[in-house]
Amino acid sequence: MTETISRNLNRVSFHDSHIEKIIRKNDDKIIFEIDWAKLDNYTERKVSEAIIIGKCELILEKIINEKLIIDNTNIKQENKLDSGEIEFNYELFKNGFLILTSECDNEKFKIGGIIDYYNEANGWLDWEFRYNKFELKWKDYITHKDWLNRKELS
């Protein structure tokens, strides 16, 4: 059975999650396939404690004010991009994206992390935008407590 939430994205943490795939629909819809996330509560199912969700899909719609900024200040590789604002390019994400910071509220989505682009260089990427609607879908989850005790997702 597919589980889903569509309100209060601020209760989701993507810290240490890996974006495995990005799908863009038109200019205003982004779909992220992510390996896992932490949800502070799942009140839709009357679960008040935090849960760890397995592979999930985050759909964000009506995207505006998108900004991607790369910082290569301390990167010594020759084939690096110039630091500063860049345009979205699927090629940048073909090796995925490790999320190390995430800030979500009910209008703004911001993630930051290490990007390994073109199989040649890496850097820090901050990606942010505003959105109007979201949906997070997944199939498996366990409580955060069980996860800390090393139980596996079913």
Side-chain angles (χ1 to χ4, degrees):
M1 182 171 115
T2 300
E3 307 286 343
T4 186
I5 63 168
S6 58
R7 58 183 178 78
N8 299 331
L9 186 58
N10 60 336
R11 60 187 161 148
V12 181
S13 172
F14 296 103
H15 177 74
D16 283 341
S17 297
H18 187 256
I19 296 175
E20 297 175 336
K21 186 175 182 181
I22 300 169
I23 302 165
R24 297 206 62 145
K25 304 268 180 159
N26 304 317
D27 285 335
D28 70 340
K29 183 175 183 179
I30 300 175
I31 302 169
F32 294 111
E33 292 181 8
I34 303 172
D35 63 351
W36 74 282
K38 179 183 175 191
L39 181 60
D40 286 340
N41 63 63
Y42 190 21
T43 55
E44 293 84 349
R45 291 268 187 197
K46 297 184 177 28
V47 178
S48 59
E49 64 185 301
I51 64 171
I52 302 299
I53 62 177
K55 285 191 179 274
C56 54
E57 183 177 81
L58 176 62
I59 303 158
L60 297 144
E61 296 185 54
K62 303 204 185 323
I63 303 299
I64 59 169
N65 300 335
E66 183 176 15
K67 187 185 302 185
L68 290 94
I69 299 174
I70 195 157
D71 181 2
N72 290 317
T73 306
N74 297 314
I75 305 298
K76 306 258 186 270
Q77 293 151 316
E78 291 179 26
N79 297 327
K80 66 181 184 178
L81 295 172
D82 291 335
S83 290
E85 194 166 342
I86 60 172
E87 294 289 320
F88 176 85
N89 180 339
Y90 278 111
E91 195 67 20
L92 290 172
F93 299 94
K94 72 179 183 182
N95 293 321
F97 179 60
L98 176 62
I99 302 171
L100 295 175
T101 62
S102 68
E103 298 173 32
C104 309
D105 64 27
N106 294 323
E107 296 176 352
K108 183 179 175 186
F109 185 79
K110 181 177 181 181
I111 53 177
I114 298 170
I115 189 91
D116 179 16
Y117 53 88
Y118 307 134
N119 286 328
E120 298 175 7
N122 55 45
W124 181 268
L125 178 72
D126 282 316
W127 187 1
E128 69 179 78
F129 50 82
R130 300 193 87 62
Y131 68 94
N132 185 276
K133 180 180 174 185
F134 87 92
E135 186 174 35
L136 180 65
K137 300 179 190 180
W138 69 93
K139 291 191 179 183
D140 302 313
Y141 70 92
I142 59 173
T143 65
H144 185 245
K145 182 179 176 182
D146 284 346
W147 181 77
L148 289 173
N149 288 323
R150 301 189 187 274
K151 290 191 178 176
E152 298 285 324
L153 287 166
S154 53

